């Protein structure tokens, strides 16, 4: 099986003790490529270190995560923007709007998101979008900056039927599906198949959102197989078909 994990934070310290084993298990599970979104200025060095260690498997993105946006965000964005001159990144990410935990910096989150969306256009790169309790705001920013000039992934999709339909109305965007699909309360399984398979990619969001039967433990790329099992059920196709199609979608989007 050929799997691509389009969203994973396995460069974080949760993996310091056993990253070699984590990569080995991923390889044994068929995971051949892992896309790594950045979080903030502090995470850059770890991100680069892992990509340098596994250059044919790990591919970095660069961006400022919405929960890390505060009043000082312009200074941080300048530091991140300078990174693009230093090495190759497959996307701008992880960026977006998160109004679930805290709305203090809502306006700054929107500004930072739109600035980084403009980077995508300037650098001709896709985007990895984090939208939590914020689909209307995210859609508005995409349209404002230029939906037809942007391409990318709505990472960790688990929205309503209406949100699904609206995400699909952005023609160059895919949906990232992770371990949440294995949870009992994942109602989006009922209508996910409205999205054609060519709009779906796999992701873990490791170390978070661990699929059943490992829910509550640390997530890792090898667990993608549980997401594949559920997607095969939803679409009524084989696990091989899900793996092959989603890997193709991911490689086209990120040019990896
Ligand atoms: Zn993430």
């Amino acid at each position: 099986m050929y799997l691509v994990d389009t969203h994973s934070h396995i460069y974080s310290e949760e993996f310091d003790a056993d990253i070699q084993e984590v990569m080995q298990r991923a390889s044994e599970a068929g995971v051949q490529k892992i896309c790594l979104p950045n979080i903030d200025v502090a995470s850059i060095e770890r991100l680069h270190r892992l990509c340098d260690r596994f250059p044919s498997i790990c591919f970095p993105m660069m961006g400022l995560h919405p929960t890390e946006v505060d009043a000082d965000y312009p200074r941080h964005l300048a530091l991140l923007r300078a990174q693009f001159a230093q090495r190759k990144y497959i996307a701008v990410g992880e960026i977006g709007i998160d109004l679930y935990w805290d709305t203090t910096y809502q306006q700054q989150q929107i500004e930072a998101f739109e600035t980084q969306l403009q980077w995508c256009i300037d650098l001709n790169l896709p985007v990895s979008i984090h939208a939590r309790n914020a689909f209307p705001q995210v859609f508005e920013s995409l349209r404002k900056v230029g939906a037809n000039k942007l391409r990318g992934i709505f990472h960790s999709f688990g929205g309503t039927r209406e949100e699904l339909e609206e995400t699909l109305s952005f023609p160059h965007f895919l949906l990232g599906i992770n371990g949440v699909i294995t949870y009992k309360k994942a109602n989006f399984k009922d209508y996910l198949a409205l999205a054609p398979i060519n709009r779906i990619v796999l992701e873990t969001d490791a170390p978070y959102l661990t699929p059943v039967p490992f829910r509550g433990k640390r997530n890792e790329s090898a667990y993608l197989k549980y997401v594949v099992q559920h997607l095969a059920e939803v679409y009524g196709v084989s696990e091989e078909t899900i793996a092959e199609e989603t890997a193709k979608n991911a490689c086209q989007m990120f040019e990896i």
Side-chain angles (χ1 to χ4, degrees):
M1 208 175 275
Y2 176 18
L3 303 172
V4 177
D5 184 352
T6 62
H7 192 112
S8 172
H9 302 277
I10 53 168
Y11 56 82
S12 66
E13 61 190 13
E14 284 92 334
F15 297 92
D16 281 353
D18 63 342
I19 186 63
Q20 194 66 46
E21 287 86 349
V22 167
M23 294 300 288
Q24 182 62 35
R25 286 192 291 271
S27 163
E28 285 163 8
V31 181
Q32 296 186 30
K33 294 188 167 99
I34 305 174
C35 307
L36 305 175
N38 188 49
I39 298 292
D40 58 14
V41 173
S43 58
I44 296 175
E45 200 184 316
R46 291 182 152 274
L47 170 72
H48 288 169
R49 213 184 302 143
L50 189 66
C51 292
D52 290 341
R53 189 165 161 192
F54 301 98
S56 60
I57 304 168
C58 293
F59 299 89
M61 306 181 200
M62 184 49 60
L64 182 63
H65 193 285
T67 62
E68 305 306 311
V69 170
D70 59 20
D72 200 24
Y73 86 85
R75 195 175 62 84
H76 293 139
L77 281 192
L79 291 167
L80 298 182
R81 181 63 180 81
Q83 295 295 318
F84 287 95
Q86 303 299 318
R87 68 186 288 162
K88 186 173 160 42
Y89 296 97
I90 58 164
V92 178
E94 158 175 13
I95 70 172
I97 304 172
D98 189 318
L99 305 177
Y100 179 79
W101 296 107
D102 190 356
T103 57
T104 312
Y105 296 110
Q106 175 166 350
Q107 192 49 41
Q108 288 89 343
Q109 284 195 38
I110 292 170
E111 290 163 11
F113 181 45
E114 292 178 359
T115 298
Q116 293 178 92
L117 285 176
Q118 187 59 48
W119 297 356
C120 297
I121 295 174
D122 298 343
L123 299 163
N124 190 25
L125 286 173
V127 57
S128 179
I129 294 180
H130 173 116
R132 194 158 188 208
N133 277 26
F135 268 117
Q137 292 85 351
V138 163
F139 293 142
E140 193 187 327
S141 289
L142 287 172
R143 293 198 177 96
K144 190 170 153 198
V145 177
N148 52 355
K149 288 180 279 184
L150 293 162
R151 66 187 194 280
I153 295 173
F154 289 100
H155 135 69
S156 193
F157 184 80
T160 65
R161 180 190 287 256
E162 290 69 31
E163 286 162 349
L164 176 72
E165 286 168 351
E166 196 160 0
T167 55
L168 293 174
S169 76
F170 292 88
H172 314 302
F173 278 80
L174 310 176
L175 307 176
I177 304 299
N178 56 38
V180 173
I181 197 173
T182 70
Y183 302 169
K184 270 207 182 74
K185 62 168 174 58
N187 300 325
F188 69 95
K189 261 183 296 193
D190 300 342
Y191 46 79
L192 181 61
L194 292 173
I197 299 180
N198 68 6
R199 306 291 295 275
I200 301 288
V201 291
L202 307 175
E203 62 169 54
T204 54
D205 205 17
Y208 312 109
L209 304 179
T210 313
V212 174
F214 297 109
R215 191 174 182 181
K217 302 206 173 69
R218 183 190 69 178
N219 200 1
E220 60 178 72
S221 298
Y223 297 164
L224 272 188
K225 61 183 172 195
Y226 302 104
V227 179
V228 172
Q229 283 170 7
H230 280 74
L231 278 172
E233 258 173 54
V234 164
Y235 282 94
V237 297
S238 69
E239 292 177 25
E240 284 70 24
T241 299
I242 294 292
E244 199 178 304
E245 294 293 318
T246 56
K248 193 175 74 188
N249 300 340
C251 292
Q252 272 173 6
M253 177 59 72
F254 292 126
E255 296 176 16
I256 52 177

